[in-house]
Amino acid sequence: MHVHAARLKGVQGCVAAGVWWDRLEPLLSNYREWIVEKTASAEIFRSLFLAESAFPILASIGLHPMEVAHRWRNTNGQFDITQANADCSAIRATAKKYRDRIWALGETGFDFAAESIEGWINKGELIRAQSYAFHCCSELAHELSLPLIVHSRSAWGYTKNQIEKVVDSKSVRFMIHCFPGSSEDAQWILQRNGFASFGGVLTWPKAKRMKEALIKMPNECLLFETDAPDLAPELENGYRPNRNEPQLLKAIIGRGAEMKGCSESFLANLNMNNLERLLGMN
């Protein structure tokens, strides 16, 4: 993570979305001086983001569906419930141990792309595994009053169905990371007080459906992200970096402002306000 380059571009901090439960302790150790604790109010939070010497990092912990597809598949291509139970126990213990430094549960969710399904005896077994992880994280989010960061790739219909169950039964706040839905889904997000986050794909020429969704998405539901190190934006000169970085958030928000017909500073402030709402700061 090139912190100095990010700050030069006006990016003042980040949410470190968790891929797996055992990645949290290295994050807390390696970036100790920048980890923001849960006691921070919105006022303290903003003061940290404005401090020239700081780069606040908000930690999250998850059971990523791509990791689930790899780790919870036994040698017969079936769902390994024993390994799943061990990891779910571990994420619960880790989340409770570090509950003062965790701001969200995720990434979690569903990924039915070809590389996720590979090696499974059938798609149903993969769905069982990813559903088990999703509900483990959603129950923990409810228990600890944390939002969910939801991953959905080639699985949007199924993801919506599972989110509806969580919102109805547990009233969990959620954010759809790298929003894959259509413009018609804008009202679905709004009705559930959710958030749709747009990343580098928004800038790609062929991402017409995503552009239409952004234009229709109500401001109170909008977030922007990089998903570093993946899915880098296409820059004005047509160049797409091999590796995404936090500094490229400015390019994504700039393109979003063009599409929404507003200023870049308006969207940057909106992003901060909505992040605080997602995290329960106000």
Side-chain angles (χ1 to χ4, degrees):
M1 186 192 306
H2 299 300
V3 171
H4 181 64
R7 290 206 64 98
L8 286 176
K9 291 288 187 179
V11 179
Q12 298 164 307
C14 72
V15 175
V19 172
W20 205 249
W21 62 267
D22 62 0
R23 311 284 177 87
L24 179 66
E25 288 188 342
L27 175 72
L28 298 180
S29 175
N30 294 336
Y31 296 95
R32 184 181 301 109
E33 69 275 25
W34 290 331
I35 296 293
V36 180
E37 295 195 359
K38 280 282 291 173
T39 53
S41 64
E43 183 178 356
I44 293 173
F45 180 65
R46 289 203 171 217
S47 69
L48 288 170
F49 269 71
L50 293 172
E52 292 185 4
S53 60
F55 191 82
I57 295 175
L58 286 74
S60 142
I61 184 171
L63 296 172
H64 194 289
M66 286 287 287
E67 295 288 318
V68 166
H70 172 67
R71 298 174 191 246
W72 291 3
R73 184 187 67 229
N74 66 22
T75 55
N76 296 320
Q78 298 170 315
F79 174 35
D80 188 340
I81 185 68
T82 301
Q83 185 61 54
N85 283 333
D87 284 322
C88 285
S89 295
I91 194 174
R92 289 184 63 84
T94 303
K96 290 182 177 182
K97 179 179 179 180
Y98 296 106
R99 66 188 305 165
D100 61 329
R101 280 166 277 183
I102 295 173
W103 288 87
L105 264 294
E107 293 177 33
T108 185
F110 305 93
D111 196 310
F112 301 160
E115 56 263 44
S116 295
I117 296 171
E118 185 179 353
W120 289 81
I121 192 169
N122 57 53
K123 185 177 177 181
E125 285 292 290
L126 171 67
I127 292 174
R128 280 184 63 207
Q130 293 182 348
S131 297
Y132 200 84
F134 179 78
H135 288 286
C136 170
C137 287
S138 63
E139 288 170 5
L140 193 52
H142 172 69
E143 184 178 340
L144 300 179
S145 298
L146 297 173
L148 277 179
I149 298 175
V150 181
H151 173 111
S152 181
R153 184 170 63 144
S154 303
W156 180 231
Y158 190 83
T159 303
K160 286 173 64 177
N161 176 269
Q162 296 304 303
I163 288 173
E164 286 172 356
K165 292 179 181 179
V166 166
V167 171
D168 290 346
S169 63
K170 300 183 176 69
S171 300
V172 172
R173 301 188 306 278
F174 68 93
M175 178 264 271
I176 307 297
H177 141 75
C178 286
F179 182 66
S182 67
S183 56
E184 288 75 22
D185 288 315
Q187 287 303 309
W188 182 86
I189 292 284
L190 181 65
Q191 290 166 4
R192 287 159 184 80
N193 298 313
F195 295 85
S197 186
F198 293 82
V201 178
L202 181 69
T203 68
W204 298 2
K206 293 183 179 180
K208 294 180 180 179
R209 172 175 150 130
M210 185 174 291
K211 292 177 173 68
E212 291 170 357
L214 173 74
I215 291 168
K216 292 287 184 69
M217 193 63 62
N219 284 346
E220 57 264 46
C221 301
L222 265 181
L223 285 169
F224 294 89
E225 62 177 293
T226 58
D227 192 31
D230 301 315
L231 303 177
E234 183 169 301
L235 306 179
E236 290 183 0
N237 57 9
Y239 170 67
R240 190 183 301 170
N242 291 328
R243 179 181 173 86
N244 207 347
E245 285 282 347
Q247 62 176 300
L248 297 175
L249 181 62
K250 180 178 174 64
I252 296 167
I253 289 180
R255 195 68 61 86
E258 293 174 11
M259 296 172 194
K260 294 287 280 186
C262 61
S263 69
E264 187 176 317
S265 61
F266 173 82
L267 274 195
N269 287 329
L270 180 70
N271 199 47
M272 178 71 82
N273 290 334
N274 286 349
L275 177 62
E276 291 174 358
R277 288 175 49 231
L278 171 68
L279 298 176
M281 289 185 182
N282 55 27

